[in-house]
Amino acid sequence: ISVFSGAGQALTQLARALRADGHATVGMENPGSPRLWQAVQLGGLEYVDLPVDDDGLVVDGLADHPELRAVCVGTARQIAFGSPLAPGRRRALLDWAARVDGLIIEDDYDAEFSERPAPPTMQGTSPDRVALLGSMTHAVGPAINVGWVVAPGRWVEAVRAEHEMQIL
């Protein structure tokens, strides 16, 4: 677990790690979070809009973007529609990550405030393919800006590269 000044900074550090590994883009849900889009750009990556619907990210849309090897997705609660990523799409997204040697950035946004029990994180299912983002902002209040990323082992050192950190 790497702790930062909010989930935005955690994502920025992860984007920098991806950039250092040769990534140029990351897939992002649209509609989605402009704050996350900004964090990715601050980390030096461009983002590609990916479609979402009532079942979350439309995983089939990844076929239109063969250059992508990383995608950021709200799995417990998609920010625009409020629903979790459907079980079949979770499996398809994990299959995609394995097929392209990719990384899923799982945004655990607002999972603790869902009206229904939150589904288990994808990171727990595939810790080598999924980086889990989280924060305490909604639970504790905006004055406590603490966020984190649980990154796969191969990404930890690059995510923690202090010379790259900036306060958001």
Side-chain angles (χ1 to χ4, degrees):
I1 298 176
S2 301
V3 178
F4 296 96
S5 178
Q9 186 187 44
L11 181 54
T12 296
Q13 285 300 111
L14 189 53
R16 287 187 175 122
L18 287 165
R19 185 190 69 221
D21 193 56
H23 292 250
T25 57
V26 62
M28 304 288 291
E29 296 173 315
N30 190 4
S33 170
R35 183 174 167 106
L36 294 180
W37 300 338
Q38 179 185 30
V40 164
Q41 288 178 314
L42 188 60
L45 297 178
E46 295 298 319
Y47 65 88
V48 173
D49 291 331
L50 296 173
V52 294
D53 62 20
D54 288 337
D55 287 331
L57 179 73
V58 179
V59 179
D60 290 344
L62 290 167
D64 297 334
H65 302 283
E67 76 282 7
L68 287 177
R69 291 186 359 248
V71 64
C72 184
V73 58
T75 56
R77 181 179 179 275
Q78 201 282 329
I79 197 163
F81 293 99
S83 55
L85 185 62
R89 290 189 183 178
R90 286 169 174 265
R91 181 76 257 152
L93 188 56
L94 289 167
D95 290 347
W96 168 85
R99 190 172 54 255
V100 302
D101 190 24
L103 180 69
I104 299 165
I105 304 165
E106 180 176 17
D107 179 19
D108 197 31
Y109 173 77
D110 240 4
E112 65 273 19
F113 296 110
S114 176
E115 294 176 5
R116 55 189 161 255
T121 64
M122 291 175 62
Q123 195 274 336
T125 302
S126 187
D128 292 338
R129 294 271 174 225
V130 182
L132 178 66
L133 287 179
S135 77
M136 296 185 343
T137 304
H138 288 107
V140 179
I144 308 297
N145 199 17
V146 176
W148 58 85
V149 61
V150 180
R154 75 171 278 227
W155 295 103
V156 172
E157 186 176 327
V159 167
R160 294 180 179 172
E162 292 180 29
H163 67 280
E164 292 285 343
M165 282 190 204
Q166 294 178 2
I167 302 298
L168 294 177

